[in-house]
Amino acid sequence: MPSFKCKDIGMECPFEASALTQGGLVKKIEKHAAEAHNMKEIDAATKSKIMAAIK
Ligand SMILES: [Zn+2]
């Protein structure tokens, strides 16, 4: 099951998430980024960090 921790991209944030699919996980991360980090759009550099941090 793919999982992600905000810490893994250098955020001071305890958020972690997992989902059945990578697509579902990315949706959760996008929602979290908008709500917790005020990132309405995830820029390409951050997105590639996120994709690299998904295990
Ligand atoms: Zn976070």
Side-chain angles (χ1 to χ4, degrees), residues 18-32:
S18 57
L20 291 176
T21 62
Q22 181 161 305
L25 180 58
V26 168
K27 281 221 160 62
K28 286 190 186 180
I29 295 166
E30 284 173 343
K31 188 167 185 280
H32 167 75

Side-chain angles (χ1 to χ4, degrees), residues 4-7 9 11-16 29 32-33 36-37:
F4 170 81
K5 293 190 179 88
C6 253
K7 266 200 320 232
I9 59 164
M11 295 288 202
E12 297 263 338
C13 174
F15 175 79
E16 13 181 316
I29 295 166
H32 167 75
H37 299 291

